[in-house]
């Protein structure tokens, strides 16, 4: 549920006027609702109450320390994909015993750090990775818990760049070859082969492909158990979509989690999920200011101070984000325009051909549903400092990451 709405024509997030935040924190600026993040997390927890489970929030969606701390305090585990994300989780007070490490390209240094931290499990994606993990675990004198990430060869029916579950993708081990891999990996005495994991893609609205993948994973688990492997946990990844358009409502978290719960009930499995977008996506907006209006032929452009370097989703995935004026216009949506940033690329747009409220230089806008894969994918392209991040919690707000300075841009350079 979005925390954003108008009160007397003023756009608010959890009751806080976004214009007040913009006046003090400046623009562009990401603003997140702690209450929404926690409500989304609890929707997973509530649906899984009667099932042994751990919700491992996918740090890649939004890795700000304050957000990780919020989730850690609520009891969440974490899905990490790098040593950097592990560092963040540990700094935020996350429990390493609830951390899973995913990704096709873990380095020896990253594996070492995760072993030293004592994470719950490694989601391994290739035989060379298993061999490296085994060697490093031996050096640490421990047994590393492993789930093979299998590729179930299912089409996730989402954007090509965020679809991961068919054999054409780099992810996972072909499910048809997984048994052989478990058998060979069994030779490594330092691996505890106790799990199977799977993630077929992100921003999914249709449960059917996920359920098909889950069925294939559960069949594999039955076969592995028949061969004597003691499989104790199944990690079904993340992937639930959220509503970026008001008229395209997303499936509720509770319904999604309950469908997964049904699948594993009675199978003596600890269920892990790795949701990212569905925890933080609808909890955030990017607040930006209109700099100029200009025309190009018949086209209208609204030039704003946020750009593709701040929020790359429209440029990269053709993603739609609603754009709302912070002060509601009584005139309604009388403008059709491209909303563009200052970056020198024609892909630098946050909306194209958008019917929107009439806006003028100086006006403030909120780019909605920007809590996931927003700031984390921001860059310094065109030597633009990355935006500030703000968290609204218990009726007040605070900066949880300062806007970068010009000196931040050149730190470490000669
Ligand atoms: N687990 C694994 C192994 C993943 O690769 C991902 C996302 C997740 C969990 C979390 O999935 P979620 O619940 O957020 O769908 N930057 C793109 C999304 C990339 C997703 C990458 N993997 C975007 O802005 O749409």
């Amino acid at each position: 549920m979005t925390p954003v709405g108008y009160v007397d024509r003023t756009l608010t997030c959890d009751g806080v006027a976004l214009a007040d935040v913009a006046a003090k924190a400046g623009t562009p600026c990401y603003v997140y609702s702690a209450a929404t993040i926690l409500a989304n997390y609890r929707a997973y927890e509530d649906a899984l109450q009667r099932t042994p489970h751990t919700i491992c929030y996918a740090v890649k969606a939004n890795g700000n320390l304050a957000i990780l701390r919020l989730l850690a305090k609520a009891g969440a585990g974490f899905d990490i994909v790098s040593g950097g994300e592990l560092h963040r989780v540990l700094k935020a007070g996350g429990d390493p015993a609830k951390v899973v490490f995913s990704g096709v390209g873990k380095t020896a240094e990253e594996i070492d750090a995760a072993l030293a931290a004592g994470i719950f499990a490694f989601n391994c994606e290739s035989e060379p990775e298993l061999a490296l993990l085994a060697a490093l675990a031996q050096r640490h004198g421990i047994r590393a818990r492993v789930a093979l990430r299998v590729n179930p060869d299912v089409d996730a029916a989402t954007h090509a760049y965020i679809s991961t579950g068919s054999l054409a993708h780099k992810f996972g081990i072909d499910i048809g070859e997984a048994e052989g891999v478990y058998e060979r990996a069994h030779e490594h005495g330092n691996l505890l082969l106790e799990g199977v994991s799977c993630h077929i893609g992100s921003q999914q609205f249709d449960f059917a492909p996920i359920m098909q993948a889950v069925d294939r994973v559960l069949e594999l688990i039955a076969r592995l158990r028949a061969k004597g492997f003691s499989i104790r946990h199944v990690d079904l990844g993340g992937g639930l979509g959220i509503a970026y358009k008001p008229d395209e409502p997303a499936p509720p978290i509770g319904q999604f989690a309950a469908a997964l719960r049904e699948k594993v009930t009675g199978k003596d499995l600890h269920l892990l999920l790795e949701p990212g977008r569905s925890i933080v996506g609808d909890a955030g907006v990017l607040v930006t200011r209109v700099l100029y209006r200009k025309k190009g032929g018949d086209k209208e452009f609204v030039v704003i101070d946020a750009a593709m370097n701040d929020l790359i989703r429209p440029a990269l995935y053709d993603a739609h984000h609603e754009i709302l004026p912070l002060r509601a216009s009584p005139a309604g949506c009388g403008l059709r325009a491209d909303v563009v940033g200052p970056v020198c690329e024609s892909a630098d747009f946050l909306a194209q051909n958008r019917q929107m409220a009439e806006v003028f230089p100086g006006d403030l806008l909120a780019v909605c549903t920007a809590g996931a894969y927003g700031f984390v994918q921001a860059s310094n392209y065109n030597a633009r400092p990355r935006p500030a991040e703000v968290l609204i919690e218990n009726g007040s707000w605070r900066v949880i990451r300062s806007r970068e300075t010009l000196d931040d841009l050149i730190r470490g350079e000669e």
Side-chain angles (χ1 to χ4, degrees):
M1 248 261 300
T2 175
V4 176
Y6 287 101
V7 177
D8 297 333
R9 292 179 51 209
T10 296
L11 197 66
T12 62
C13 180
D14 284 343
V16 172
L18 287 167
D20 289 349
V21 177
K24 298 195 182 92
T27 56
C29 164
Y30 278 96
V31 182
Y32 311 116
S33 152
T36 302
I37 294 170
L38 288 177
N40 289 335
Y41 171 72
R42 288 192 187 119
Y44 276 101
E45 284 293 345
D46 290 349
L48 297 178
Q49 252 177 26
R50 284 168 286 131
T51 305
H53 70 275
T54 311
I55 305 299
C56 296
Y57 165 67
V59 175
K60 65 172 80 67
N62 187 328
N64 185 290
L65 288 184
I67 287 174
L68 300 184
R69 200 171 297 125
L70 193 70
L71 287 165
K73 276 195 189 145
F78 297 95
D79 166 45
I80 59 165
V81 289
S82 69
E85 288 190 351
L86 175 64
H87 184 63
R88 285 187 170 278
V89 166
L90 297 178
K91 284 280 177 201
D95 180 358
K98 292 185 187 169
V99 168
V100 292
F101 192 172
S102 304
V104 292
K106 305 174 188 77
T107 66
E109 291 73 20
E110 289 175 321
I111 294 174
D112 251 332
L115 287 168
I119 68 163
F120 175 70
F122 292 81
N123 290 339
C124 290
E125 306 216 14
S126 67
E127 294 202 71
E129 181 193 335
L130 285 165
L132 176 61
L133 175 60
L136 294 172
Q138 187 175 25
R139 214 180 290 164
H140 282 256
I142 54 176
R143 299 181 78 192
R145 189 176 290 104
V146 167
L148 275 206
R149 174 168 176 187
V150 294
N151 185 320
D153 201 18
V154 166
D155 183 358
T158 183
H159 190 282
Y161 291 1
I162 54 177
S163 177
T164 54
S166 58
L167 293 179
H169 300 127
K170 67 178 176 179
F171 297 100
I173 289 173
D174 180 352
I175 197 161
E177 292 171 14
E179 280 160 85
V181 176
Y182 275 94
E183 278 163 6
R184 289 190 289 281
H186 191 58
E187 305 296 313
H188 300 295
N190 285 83
L191 301 182
L192 283 171
L193 299 164
E194 292 186 345
V196 179
S197 79
C198 176
H199 169 82
I200 63 164
S202 196
Q203 185 56 11
Q204 297 186 71
F205 270 50
D206 180 3
F207 294 174
I210 302 182
M211 296 307 152
Q212 195 184 357
V214 174
D215 286 338
R216 290 185 187 172
V217 166
L218 293 174
E219 286 159 19
L220 171 68
I221 290 175
R223 291 198 299 277
L224 288 169
R225 283 176 163 171
K227 289 198 156 120
F229 286 98
S230 155
I231 303 296
R232 296 165 193 270
H233 81 264
V234 65
D235 180 341
L236 297 178
L240 178 63
I242 60 169
Y244 285 97
K245 293 181 182 169
D247 57 346
E248 286 177 11
I253 291 171
Q255 198 181 317
F256 175 68
L260 295 175
R261 182 192 67 211
E262 296 300 306
K263 290 278 183 194
V264 302
T265 297
K267 302 232 163 40
D268 192 22
L269 283 166
H270 187 98
L271 173 63
L272 269 65
L273 295 182
E274 303 170 353
R277 190 192 311 267
S278 52
I279 301 270
V280 289
D282 64 356
V285 296
L286 174 61
V287 178
T288 172
R289 189 178 292 278
V290 176
L291 298 175
Y292 305 104
R293 287 278 300 269
K294 66 179 277 187
K295 271 192 197 298
D298 292 340
K299 237 177 146 76
E300 289 272 1
F301 293 99
V302 174
V303 185
I304 57 175
D305 66 0
M308 67 188 292
N309 74 294
D310 302 305
L311 178 64
I312 203 171
R313 302 194 69 259
L316 192 55
Y317 315 111
D318 210 12
H320 177 100
H321 288 263
E322 285 290 302
I323 299 183
L324 300 175
L326 263 48
R327 184 105 191 116
S329 144
C333 293
L335 175 66
R336 181 170 285 276
D338 283 15
V339 181
V340 301
V343 161
C344 300
E345 298 245 4
S346 293
D348 182 23
F349 54 83
L350 294 192
Q352 282 183 306
N353 207 17
R354 181 71 59 87
Q355 199 70 43
M356 60 188 290
E358 196 52 75
V359 289
F360 300 97
D363 285 356
L364 291 160
L365 302 174
V367 183
C368 299
T369 331
Y373 306 110
F375 184 88
V376 282
Q377 291 191 279
S379 77
N380 293 122
Y381 188 37
N382 279 203
R384 289 170 51 83
R386 285 180 296 172
E389 291 178 285
V390 162
L391 186 67
I392 300 176
E393 197 174 9
N394 302 324
S396 65
W397 64 271
R398 65 183 195 276
V399 174
I400 55 171
R401 191 180 205 277
S402 318
R403 180 178 310 287
E404 284 179 338
T405 64
L406 297 181
D407 280 337
D408 288 334
L409 294 180
I410 53 174
R411 179 150 305 126
E413 293 182 33
E414 278 194 8

